[in-house]
Amino acid sequence: MSTATAENTEATWVKVCEKNSIAPDTGVCALVNGHQVAIFYSRQLDELFAVGNYDPLGKAYVLSRGLIGSQGERFCVASPLYKQHFDLRTGECLEEEGVSIPTYELKLEGDWISVRA
Amino acid sequence: MSKQRIIVVGNGMVGHKFIDDVVKSENADQYEVITFSEEPRLAYDRVKLSSYFSGSSVDDLMLTSEEAYQNNGVVYTLSDKVVKIDHDAQTVTTASGRVEGYDKLILATGSYPFVPPIPGKDQPHCLVYRTIEDLEAITESAKQSKTGVVVGGGLLGLEAANALQNLGLDTHVIEFAPRLMAVQLDEGGGNLLRRKIEAMGVSVHTEKNTQQIVAGDECRYRMEFADGSHLDTDMIVFSAGIRPQDEIARNNGIDIGERGGIVIDNFCRTSVEDIYAIGECALWDSKIFGLVAPGYQMAKVALSHIQGGDEQFTGADMSTKLKLLGVDVASIGDAHARTPGAQTYTYEDGVKEVYKRMIVSEDGKKLLGAVLVGEAEAYGTLQQICVNNMDLPADPEQMILPQVEGGASVGMGVDALPDTAQLCSCLDVSKGDIVEAVQGGCTDMGGIKSCTGATTGCGGCTALVKQVMDNELENLGIEVKNDICEHFAYSRVELADIIRVKKIESFDELLQSHGTGLGCEICKPTVGSILASYWNEYVLSNNLVGLQDTNDIYLGNMQKDGTYSVVPRVAGGEITPDKLIVLGEVAKEYDLYTKITGGQRIDLFGAQLHQLPEIWRKLVDAGFETGHAYGKSLRTVKSCVGNTWCRYGVQDSVGMAIALEDRYKGLRSPHKIKFAVSGCTRECAEAQSKDIGVIATENGWNLYVCGNGGMRPRHGDLFATDLDDETLVKYIDRVLMFYIRTADRLQRTSVWLENLEGGLDYLRDVVINDKLNLGQELEDEMTHNIGKYQCEWKTTIESPEKLKRFSHFINAAEPDSSLAYVAERGQKRPAREEERKNQIPAVELAQ
Ligand code: SRM
Ligand SMILES: Cc1cc2nc3c(=O)[nH]c(=O)nc-3n(C[C@H](O)[C@H](O)[C@H](O)COP(=O)(O)OP(=O)(O)OC[C@H]3O[C@@H](n4cnc5c(N)ncnc54)[C@H](O)[C@@H]3O)c2cc1C
Ligand code: SF4
Ligand code: FES
């Protein structure tokens, strides 16, 4: 579903939660091999996304609590702190060139979500 | 070909403008530019200097940066004054001894404040108002002073008075002439301005001629006046006019005028070959121009001449519009009706304190000038008619009369303006330039700004520029857009109407019927708020939770480290000792930083997500409810103690505050709403700074509306007097619901009212006279909202399903390990970045 840009030699798949435990169009945070991963569920796209939970501009682990939505063709989370957008597919920050967050691979088995980090 | 060397003496607003024009010109590469500044920094915005007192930093004021100059190859020297010009050798010498040769020399040395030769003027705490350093000195002096005097009641003097007042000084203005702003205003305008300024607590003393400044009795100094009276003060700011800084010309054989100023011709040339003078130091046709726009024109003309062009300076329009101590003041053209045969129209409203006067030609066809005090909406139109020498409409008096119901609108419409009309005098942008920019694809003010530069100077032209833009968009058949974001081609007001009229209950429903795309962080919370205002469903219910912004989504204010604050409602600020103890116990148990807020309640900071439910369970059990400190909703109703205890109270203000807070708690609105209730006119609850302010009278309550603290404070307007309880509540219901219907996203009531067509009178018409026949409907909507109130925290802790979201990790019980705290004054606070470095492992980032 999504590709990993964060290079991690020990990356393994970890089962985190059931899809229905994420309220529609919101996010949750999961602890995966020591990484804080923000997972979002878009009801309209019926799609899941996994990115880093750390907001490099606001400098806190909060991205899972941001609002998600579209900016043109891109699908983004807006940081709950200062509202910069991060592309959920590429991790890029739309406002600050050169700033990005890691994206993680994610898969669905039945209703269970697994993340590789 | 070798480059031409241009030296610019003085890096003020005009010197910088000249350099900027050179750098941006087509053949910029043919010039080498060197500039000297006596001040320790490059050019800054002197026009906005006073904003330094309202929070602007030096950085905000800078017009350029050293980096930008370096990038453009402009060589600059700071804190060094040019003292000598050798015109034969074509060199300048600076105070530090540097010698540089030039091909062309530009004098842009500006002016200096005139300090009248009063004995005693050279003591400490006797200051002027021109540079950033002056402002720093004033701030310092104010700290050691209680009373301050401004000498000079002109434009700058009143700005200085405003600054002193904001610095907390008991402020006086001393003016030699019989009225304020004698240059710009006629007698009627000057008198009204004085009344308004005195009402704000600044004392005005006209016709005072200061004889000497001696040691004072009650204050540091005493100013003794020619008429035998005196005034004690701790500090003095001289603002008695400016004098051109022409020293450099005077000492080096360049012609200066009888009363100073470097003489220039229409090409801005001085009496010496290859030397030009521009800005406030220049004297054209025996006139000095103390405004920035003419200086900018001179900069353009001088450059054109150097580059072989034929532009000429032929004088400038000295019309001004500004806000002095919160009062709109404008002066256009021949404000004093000095033109032979001139006739005048005067409109004066003593109640609303508005004064307007138009000066027209003998035949009544042309506008010669105007004076506006207290309300200057007509400025743009009048100024354009005047400078463009346009014919006046048939009933010119309409232009200064208040708009009547169904009457023709003021002015002549921007269509009537010629393309050459200069809309933005600061940046010299004409109507044609704006029209062209719109045709070139600029469809919003942001675009117009970056494309033409209009409105980026004093900002006075904003309304007019927008009108021209909107008009042109209309001409092109492009709809003028107020869309809230890319997903909805509607304004907030339109969305609110759609939701209310079509009874839409979810975001999806609205997006499908009226939107595109998937929504975003702008439209989702906006729609969430409108849905809550009308239907008031539980905000964390499944189809609403995804719409809630940062704070609402976890029912707490997010702090900078991702933790939350907990603010229970303490209606009216009244709290029992038992409840205080509970708050103390909870704070202690969870180690929460505790603070009394500015809203008469208690804020507990630093709660982690997983702790919120436990904390709230304890609070709810003790009888607390959520305080909605996180919502764009009713916050607090402040109270003073009122007649239950206070000697002066005339009504039970605490009782009323609690009743109002209980009534409107949980009401979500376009922005937050705050109330206060005071028990008598002493106003200890500061009700006039609130969205809804209630002040007790012998006979009932006075209602004030649309006040604001915060970034741009505004006093509430007195809306109705001596109301009984029932009518008071009825009016508040209607005002608030009407606000919810018609305000923009994140628009406080203050700004809403200022933008409401028809203003306060219209609001009164709607609410009190029920002109739109909406009264009952608005009250019903409010009743419906109130009927659906629930304490969101109570609902949440009662639902195990909802509580699942309140943990940092969905798959682990651990808290966020990145949080770090240090102790300060006996409580904790988040560790700063440098303090954290040693405490936690480095964070992960994408490469
Ligand atoms: C806690 C408190 C400061 C304090 O320690 O006293 C506070 C704290 C915050 N204020 Fe305030 N304001 C607090 C009283 C005020 C007051 C005073 C008052 O209400 O009497 C004002 C000026 C009055 C007014 O609003 O008209 C005030 C004007 C603002 C503004 C500027 C609003 C404006 O119209 O200009 C903001 C920014 C905004 O809302 O966009 C703001 C925003 C904030 C935020 C929400 C900033 C944020 O987004 O994180 C702060 C977070 C609080 C938290 O985490 O719990 N706060 N804030 C006060 C809480 C009062 C309460 O009990 O609910
Ligand atoms: C508080 C305040 C409010 C104002 N409000 C408005 C307004 O609302 N609208 C408006 O149009 N105008 C306003 N003005 C006026 C406006 O700021 C001036 O018209 C404008 O700054 C003039 O620009 P200038 O470059 O000619 O002079 P300045 O900006 O004064 O620049 C001249 C520079 O040259 C330097 N200098 C002088 N001699 C030498 C030398 N020999 N060698 C090296 N450097 C030298 C000076 O130190 C100074 O830095 C205001 C001014 C003040 C002080
Ligand atoms: S003034 Fe208000 S918003 Fe600003 S830091 Fe203080 S509490 Fe926060
Ligand atoms: S007139 Fe000053 S910014 Fe346009």
Side-chain angles (χ1 to χ4, degrees):
Chain A
M1 246 180 189
S2 177
T3 52
T5 54
E7 229 174 280
N8 189 331
T9 42
E10 289 145 78
T12 53
W13 287 100
V14 173
K15 215 178 221 188
V16 289
C17 64
E18 285 177 288
K19 186 172 138 190
N20 68 16
S21 60
I22 308 179
D25 295 319
T26 71
V28 297
C29 174
L31 189 59
V32 183
N33 293 328
H35 300 278
Q36 293 202 18
V37 178
I39 303 169
F40 298 94
Y41 172 59
S42 161
R43 177 178 38 177
Q44 294 143 320
L45 299 172
D46 191 22
E47 193 174 339
L48 289 154
F49 303 88
V51 296
N53 192 38
Y54 185 71
D55 171 355
L57 299 165
K59 300 198 190 316
Y61 287 87
V62 292
L63 288 184
S64 65
R65 303 177 221 158
L67 273 164
I68 57 173
S70 58
Q71 296 289 311
E73 292 302 301
R74 299 194 188 224
F75 197 67
C76 299
V77 59
S79 163
L81 282 170
Y82 306 114
K83 306 288 179 219
Q84 296 90 352
H85 298 92
F86 295 92
D87 187 319
L88 286 175
R89 297 189 174 96
T90 65
E92 282 167 289
C93 175
L94 270 51
E95 285 80 12
E96 299 272 331
E97 216 179 310
V99 173
S100 65
I101 53 172
T103 58
Y104 297 99
E105 269 183 284
L106 173 151
K107 67 183 175 191
L108 199 58
E109 286 161 325
D111 206 30
W112 277 90
I113 300 170
S114 298
V115 173
R116 198 159 95 118
Chain B
M1 195 184 90
S2 73
K3 290 188 178 184
Q4 270 213 32
R5 211 167 202 232
I6 307 179
I7 292 189
V8 182
V9 182
N11 197 258
M13 298 190 72
V14 174
H16 166 68
K17 176 72 178 169
F18 176 86
I19 293 174
D20 199 46
D21 287 348
V22 173
V23 167
K24 288 192 181 135
S25 71
E26 272 171 31
N27 34 12
D29 54 349
Q30 291 174 20
Y31 302 97
E32 181 186 353
V33 181
I34 301 182
T35 181
F36 292 94
S37 168
E38 190 184 354
E39 291 191 60
R41 55 179 66 80
L42 290 175
Y44 52 90
D45 194 345
R46 217 178 287 289
V47 171
K48 298 214 185 83
L49 197 59
S50 297
S51 69
Y52 181 79
F53 286 119
S54 50
S56 289
S57 65
V58 173
D59 276 349
D60 296 335
L61 289 175
M62 291 309 292
L63 291 173
T64 180
S65 65
E66 300 194 21
E67 213 187 344
Y69 269 26
Q70 286 157 13
N71 290 343
N72 287 311
V74 178
V75 178
Y76 56 89
T77 305
L78 303 177
S79 308
D80 200 5
K81 186 174 169 181
V82 173
V83 290
K84 197 176 149 214
I85 302 170
D86 181 336
H87 353 127
D88 298 329
Q90 302 234 23
T91 60
V92 299
T93 311
T94 72
S96 75
R98 226 173 111 178
V99 181
E100 293 285 350
Y102 63 81
D103 295 312
K104 305 280 175 193
L105 182 64
I106 310 291
L107 303 178
T109 49
S111 62
Y112 63 90
F114 169 65
V115 179
I118 303 168
K121 70 179 169 49
D122 293 321
Q123 305 176 68
H125 302 282
C126 294
L127 307 164
V128 295
Y129 199 86
R130 175 90 195 165
T131 64
I132 288 181
E133 284 69 26
D134 292 338
L135 266 53
E136 284 167 350
I138 290 171
T139 313
E140 254 332 287
S141 171
K143 284 187 197 146
Q144 306 160 41
S145 304
K146 287 210 174 76
T147 305
V149 162
V150 174
V151 176
L155 211 142
L156 294 184
L158 294 177
E159 269 201 54
N162 191 23
L164 294 193
Q165 217 205 8
N166 288 341
L167 287 167
L169 298 184
D170 176 17
T171 307
H172 299 260
V173 173
I174 311 275
E175 170 58 52
F176 181 74
R179 63 172 177 273
L180 295 174
M181 288 185 68
V183 181
Q184 293 89 353
L185 298 184
D186 63 355
E187 198 180 333
N191 288 344
L192 176 58
L193 180 63
R194 173 184 188 143
R195 273 217 305 280
K196 292 196 127 187
I197 285 177
E198 288 190 323
M200 276 170 242
V202 173
S203 316
V204 177
H205 314 264
T206 46
E207 294 182 87
K208 292 286 175 200
N209 183 359
T210 314
Q211 296 285 299
Q212 57 174 342
I213 301 164
V214 296
D217 260 357
E218 291 139 46
C219 302
R220 194 173 286 135
Y221 301 126
R222 166 164 297 175
M223 305 179 69
E224 293 183 342
F225 305 118
D227 62 4
S229 61
H230 63 80
L231 177 69
D232 274 18
T233 182
D234 295 311
M235 64 157 328
I236 300 168
V237 177
F238 289 101
S239 189
I242 53 165
R243 293 289 179 271
Q245 183 55 273
D246 54 14
E247 185 190 8
I248 183 95
R250 196 185 286 268
N251 299 340
N252 291 283
I254 300 170
D255 284 357
I256 58 167
E258 232 166 81
R259 284 158 52 222
I262 308 171
V263 177
I264 57 166
D265 64 9
N266 286 8
F267 298 107
C268 299
R269 292 182 296 195
T270 67
S271 61
V272 175
E273 183 102 10
D274 292 328
I275 304 184
Y276 300 74
I278 57 178
E280 280 187 348
C281 62
L283 185 75
W284 178 88
D285 190 25
S286 307
K287 287 192 275 264
I288 289 284
F289 295 87
L291 292 175
V292 69
Y296 282 0
Q297 261 167 270
M298 292 179 196
K300 239 175 103 180
V301 168
L303 180 61
S304 150
H305 190 261
I306 290 175
Q307 298 184 328
D310 56 4
E311 279 185 50
Q312 299 200 26
F313 182 80
T314 52
D317 171 42
M318 295 299 278
S319 301
T320 20
K321 172 185 165 208
L322 35 141
K323 230 188 177 74
L324 288 170
L325 290 136
V327 183
D328 282 317
V329 180
S331 158
I332 297 167
D334 179 16
H336 297 280
R338 296 212 173 103
T339 314
Q343 308 190 64
T344 57
Y345 291 92
T346 309
Y347 170 77
E348 193 166 359
D349 179 339
V351 181
K352 289 200 199 123
E353 306 203 306
V354 173
Y355 175 89
K356 302 186 199 176
R357 185 174 211 210
M358 282 188 344
I359 295 97
V360 302
S361 59
E362 198 166 5
D363 59 8
K365 287 201 176 121
K366 301 285 181 188
L367 182 68
L368 301 172
V371 176
L372 310 167
V373 178
E375 200 257 283
E377 233 171 274
Y379 174 78
T381 315
L382 292 176
Q383 192 255 357
Q384 289 299 332
I385 293 179
C386 188
V387 297
N388 295 305
N389 201 22
M390 293 161 67
D391 281 338
L392 281 166
D395 302 308
E397 68 275 11
Q398 292 301 333
M399 308 185 68
I400 54 169
L401 289 178
Q403 249 179 296
V404 284
E405 205 56 48
S409 73
V410 193
M412 340 211 321
V414 289
D415 253 343
L417 289 177
D419 266 2
T420 50
Q422 189 192 42
L423 302 187
C424 175
S425 53
C426 291
L427 279 298
D428 187 19
V429 182
S430 67
K431 179 185 169 193
D433 296 333
I434 302 289
V435 168
E436 202 177 303
V438 174
Q439 291 169 351
C442 296
T443 53
D444 56 25
M445 286 300 278
I448 296 284
K449 255 189 200 178
S450 53
C451 183
T452 65
T455 77
T456 57
C458 68
C461 58
T462 310
L464 200 60
V465 170
K466 179 152 188 333
Q467 272 177 42
V468 169
M469 177 188 81
D470 287 349
N471 188 58
E472 183 57 21
L473 285 170
E474 233 165 80
N475 290 347
L476 295 176
I478 302 171
E479 229 180 299
V480 180
K481 283 196 179 157
N482 287 313
D483 304 1
I484 70 161
C485 67
E486 66 183 62
H487 305 109
F488 289 97
Y490 298 96
S491 65
R492 175 191 175 281
V493 180
E494 288 162 345
L495 288 181
D497 285 342
I498 294 169
I499 289 172
R500 177 172 50 83
V501 174
K502 304 206 166 167
K503 300 214 174 344
I504 289 178
E505 290 180 14
S506 74
F507 182 78
D508 285 0
E509 212 181 316
L510 185 70
L511 190 67
Q512 267 156 32
S513 54
H514 294 83
T516 56
L518 303 168
C520 65
E521 83 288 349
I522 305 288
C523 58
K524 283 181 174 181
T526 305
V527 171
S529 162
I530 300 170
L531 293 173
S533 292
Y534 287 129
W535 322 130
N536 204 5
E537 299 294 343
Y538 174 51
V539 292
L540 299 187
S541 63
N542 250 346
N543 66 342
L544 297 177
V545 62
L547 306 180
Q548 309 305 329
D549 213 339
T550 311
N551 293 338
D552 292 271
I553 194 164
Y554 287 103
L555 307 177
N557 278 305
M558 181 183 274
Q559 306 304 306
K560 59 191 210 176
D561 61 354
T563 61
Y564 289 89
S565 68
V566 172
V567 191
R569 190 166 295 290
V570 177
E574 183 185 82
I575 187 163
T576 61
D578 281 337
K579 279 187 155 176
L580 266 179
I581 289 170
V582 173
L583 288 179
E585 282 170 353
V586 169
K588 206 164 169 180
E589 182 177 347
Y590 292 90
D591 190 18
L592 302 174
Y593 169 82
T594 306
K595 184 178 182 299
I596 308 287
T597 72
Q600 293 189 340
R601 47 191 186 173
I602 295 174
D603 203 337
L604 312 176
F605 293 87
Q608 297 179 44
L609 199 49
H610 68 275
Q611 296 174 324
L612 287 175
E614 303 161 37
I615 292 172
W616 276 103
R617 181 159 310 161
K618 293 198 163 117
L619 294 174
V620 168
D621 284 349
F624 283 107
E625 290 179 304
T626 179
H628 290 97
Y630 45 80
K632 298 291 177 236
S633 57
L634 177 80
R635 292 288 170 85
T636 65
V637 181
K638 273 173 72 164
S639 76
C640 73
V641 63
N643 73 357
T644 38
W645 288 91
C646 176
R647 293 183 281 161
Y648 298 114
V650 292
Q651 305 282 349
D652 175 13
S653 49
V654 180
M656 179 52 82
I658 295 174
L660 292 176
E661 186 156 345
D662 275 339
R663 181 172 180 83
Y664 301 108
K665 64 188 176 191
L667 175 68
R668 282 192 161 72
S669 42
H671 205 315
K672 59 192 175 192
I673 346 177
K674 301 178 176 186
F675 289 29
V677 184
S678 279
C680 81
T681 53
R682 285 169 192 73
E683 242 285 69
C684 298
E686 303 172 308
Q688 289 166 93
S689 68
K690 301 296 178 213
D691 300 272
I692 298 287
V694 178
I695 302 178
T697 68
E698 297 284 347
N699 309 315
W701 308 99
N702 282 354
L703 173 60
Y704 289 77
V705 297
C706 304
N708 206 139
M711 293 172 246
R712 198 168 64 88
R714 177 181 194 276
H715 275 163
D717 287 308
L718 180 58
F719 186 74
T721 53
D722 292 330
L723 304 175
D724 57 30
D725 292 10
E726 202 185 321
T727 316
L728 175 71
V729 168
K730 176 164 108 178
Y731 287 177
I732 298 176
D733 274 4
R734 293 180 178 187
V735 170
L736 291 182
M737 249 14 246
F738 193 55
Y739 164 61
I740 285 172
R741 272 197 189 188
T742 57
D744 216 338
R745 180 180 90 89
L746 299 184
Q747 188 176 48
R748 289 288 292 266
T749 56
S750 54
V751 184
W752 168 66
L753 181 64
E754 280 166 9
N755 285 295
L756 192 68
E757 226 170 287
L760 188 67
D761 287 339
Y762 179 67
L763 187 61
R764 282 204 190 100
D765 263 347
V766 172
V767 169
I768 301 178
N769 309 330
D770 202 3
K771 173 180 162 187
L772 303 181
N773 205 7
L774 269 184
Q776 193 57 45
E777 207 176 303
L778 296 172
E779 284 173 52
D780 290 347
E781 279 164 17
M782 186 62 85
T783 308
H784 177 77
N785 187 297
I786 291 167
K788 303 217 39 184
Y789 170 80
Q790 57 190 304
C791 168
E792 292 155 357
W793 264 114
K794 186 163 187 287
T795 310
T796 305
I797 54 179
E798 283 166 358
S799 157
E801 183 60 30
K802 293 293 164 202
L803 288 180
K804 278 196 198 154
R805 291 179 51 249
F806 290 83
S807 64
H808 190 78
F809 294 115
I810 186 100
N811 61 340
E814 289 152 53
D816 179 359
S817 62
S818 73
L819 301 176
Y821 297 93
V822 296
E824 193 170 86
R825 294 186 294 274
Q827 299 200 63
K828 75 170 182 186
R829 66 156 170 80
R832 302 197 181 96
E833 225 183 325
E834 64 281 4
E835 292 164 334
R836 297 167 62 97
K837 290 233 166 76
N838 313 325
Q839 299 189 19
I840 55 151
V843 293
E844 50 185 303
L845 285 171
Q847 302 75 358

